[in-house]
Amino acid sequence: MPVIHFNRKESNIFNSFKKKVRRLVYGEANSDLLNNNVRRMLITSLFCLVGIFFTGLLGIVALIKGDWLLSFILLFISCLYFFAVLFIRWATNYQLAGKLFIYPLYALMLYLVYTGGVSGTGHVWIFCVPAVSLFLQGLRRGVKELCVFSLLLGVILFFADDFRGGHDYDDVIASRIMYSFLVVVALSTIYEYSMSHYNKMLRESSYLLEKKAITDELTKLLNRYGMYEKLETSVSGRRHILLMDIDHFKQINDIYGHDAGDVYLEKVAQVLTSTIGPEGVVARWGGEEFLVLLSTSSIDEAKHWARRVCSDVCKLNVPHKRDLLQASISIGISKLEPDDMVHDSISYADAALYKAKREGRNRYVVATGQDESRRPW
């Protein structure tokens, strides 16, 4: 089998064309983030593009054959679909674009069945309606609209010849068309229901996995990865970082065992969450280290919260058999400006934390650039 080779120029042309198609379909949405909304916007755009092609082409054919009314209807609907594509591109509103697609489609299908279309074949197009309707309108609304459409379809099939311009369908043919359409509606509904149920389960599983990926299993706080997402979130003002480490935590593990150490870590996490409250976000940074991201822009307020944390942790007594587990905590404070590198701010807090350790523990050290002030809590 011969192998087709593309030179660099052809490859660049192909990639450029692919990017333009993706931009046309996705609009301003990020095509790399295939969440449910972007997926629906993509498929709605594709429906509209297919509709533009076929209605435009058939409209031109009808124009050539001299069927002015059918040509006008098809070309008008083609223009509506083109507007829907532009609307998705500019407003990223696939719901309204879907309505611009489906309602003209209903009308066009009923018109083709009523008039018989070309040589009485107008009814062959109606079988595309159920799947499109259920996708664009959702299961509940789609089923309701398909019931109304089926009722109108039945009236046209059996009584169209009683009205002026209506196509005369044989009763047997009309019955077969109706039965076939209802079967397609039923099968499409079952499929859409199963897909909706599957997608719901998939979203729930995805949410749980995402939450688990950013949550520390022991303390139920954010883990390092989850906190990095918070740290890297763009904000307009200054924030402060409290990086803290439990003093002599290794002794708790060595004397009482790791199970006791885990219980103590859980209690410390509860104290931090209770103390900081809505003023910041708490995470387990690793081992016996915790990191708090304070929303306050004031260094005095950051010091206030550091003092409270030191005080509350010192007051913590965790019963273990006949003993009480007690410890203190050391804290390094750094600022995080909007244009600061997160890693640099954490490094400043880390350096300040170790200075607090060297100064005697159970205290905080504030790092602001190269200037640092030390305060026992």
Side-chain angles (χ1 to χ4, degrees), residues 204-326:
E204 290 175 353
S205 299
S206 185
Y207 170 77
L208 291 175
L209 288 173
E210 182 180 351
K211 187 176 181 180
K212 187 174 182 179
I214 63 174
T215 302
D216 178 64
E217 187 174 353
L218 176 65
T219 62
K220 310 307 178 187
L221 299 174
L222 289 176
N223 58 18
R224 183 182 289 242
Y225 178 78
M227 178 54 84
Y228 258 114
E229 288 187 348
K230 299 291 184 181
L231 289 165
E232 292 174 349
T233 301
S234 299
V235 295
S236 58
R238 174 190 294 178
R239 295 173 292 176
H240 284 89
I241 293 172
L242 306 185
L243 184 60
M244 52 193 73
D245 184 271
I246 300 173
D247 298 326
H248 302 298
F249 179 75
K250 186 176 183 297
Q251 293 180 6
I252 295 178
N253 280 335
D254 292 343
I255 297 172
Y256 302 102
H258 289 279
D259 288 342
D262 288 347
V263 172
Y264 188 78
L265 286 173
E266 290 183 75
K267 296 298 182 182
V268 170
Q270 293 172 11
V271 168
L272 294 177
T273 303
S274 175
T275 301
I276 299 300
E279 299 299 322
V281 182
V282 184
R284 186 183 179 192
W285 198 241
E288 65 270 25
E289 283 191 333
F290 295 87
L291 189 146
V292 174
L293 177 62
L294 292 173
S295 57
T296 178
S297 61
S298 168
I299 186 60
D300 292 330
E301 290 187 22
K303 293 177 183 178
H304 163 74
W305 291 112
R307 282 193 295 269
R308 283 197 55 182
V309 167
C310 286
S311 175
D312 291 348
V313 171
C314 276
K315 295 175 184 177
L316 176 64
N317 295 314
V318 180
H320 179 72
K321 298 180 180 178
R322 297 181 180 180
D323 297 319
L324 290 176
L325 305 181
Q326 292 179 303

Side-chain angles (χ1 to χ4, degrees), residues 56-281:
L57 178 63
L58 294 175
I60 293 172
V61 171
L63 182 63
I64 293 173
K65 291 183 176 180
D67 192 339
W68 300 100
L69 179 59
L70 180 59
S71 174
F72 172 78
I73 292 173
L74 290 171
L75 293 176
F76 177 75
I77 292 176
S78 181
C79 291
L80 283 180
Y81 290 167
F82 180 74
F83 176 76
V85 171
L86 296 180
F87 189 77
I88 292 176
R89 178 182 173 82
W90 290 331
T92 63
N93 187 336
Y94 67 86
Q95 292 97 337
L96 183 55
K99 290 178 173 56
L100 287 175
F101 182 89
I102 193 62
Y103 291 125
L105 182 65
Y106 288 149
L108 176 61
M109 295 300 104
L110 293 174
Y111 172 78
L112 290 176
V113 174
Y114 179 77
T115 60
V118 178
S119 302
T121 61
H123 63 276
V124 301
W125 296 96
I126 64 174
F127 298 102
C128 70
V129 170
V132 176
S133 175
L134 290 169
F135 177 82
L136 293 178
Q137 301 296 75
L139 187 62
R140 291 185 179 180
R141 187 180 181 89
V143 168
K144 292 177 182 178
E145 292 185 358
L146 285 174
C147 289
V148 175
F149 183 87
S150 300
L151 180 63
L152 295 174
L153 177 64
V155 170
I156 292 173
L157 286 172
F158 291 102
F159 303 105
D161 56 332
D162 294 340
F163 301 96
R164 182 179 178 183
H167 185 72
D168 185 11
Y169 290 94
D170 181 79
D171 288 344
V172 175
I173 297 296
S175 299
R176 295 296 182 270
I177 294 172
M178 196 67 205
Y179 294 153
S180 300
F181 182 77
L182 292 176
V183 168
V184 174
V185 169
L187 293 176
S188 299
T189 302
I190 293 171
Y191 175 79
E192 184 64 26
Y193 172 78
S194 63
M195 286 302 297
S196 298
H197 183 66
Y198 171 77
N199 287 332
K200 181 181 178 182
M201 293 177 60
L202 187 63
R203 287 194 298 270
E204 290 175 353
S205 299
S206 185
Y207 170 77
L208 291 175
L209 288 173
E210 182 180 351
K211 187 176 181 180
K212 187 174 182 179
I214 63 174
T215 302
D216 178 64
E217 187 174 353
L218 176 65
T219 62
K220 310 307 178 187
L221 299 174
L222 289 176
N223 58 18
R224 183 182 289 242
Y225 178 78
M227 178 54 84
Y228 258 114
E229 288 187 348
K230 299 291 184 181
L231 289 165
E232 292 174 349
T233 301
S234 299
V235 295
S236 58
R238 174 190 294 178
R239 295 173 292 176
H240 284 89
I241 293 172
L242 306 185
L243 184 60
M244 52 193 73
D245 184 271
I246 300 173
D247 298 326
H248 302 298
F249 179 75
K250 186 176 183 297
Q251 293 180 6
I252 295 178
N253 280 335
D254 292 343
I255 297 172
Y256 302 102
H258 289 279
D259 288 342
D262 288 347
V263 172
Y264 188 78
L265 286 173
E266 290 183 75
K267 296 298 182 182
V268 170
Q270 293 172 11
V271 168
L272 294 177
T273 303
S274 175
T275 301
I276 299 300
E279 299 299 322
V281 182

Side-chain angles (χ1 to χ4, degrees), residues 7 23 41 211 241 281 348:
N7 59 38
R23 185 172 177 81
M41 187 163 59
K211 187 176 181 180
I241 293 172
V281 182
Y348 279 122

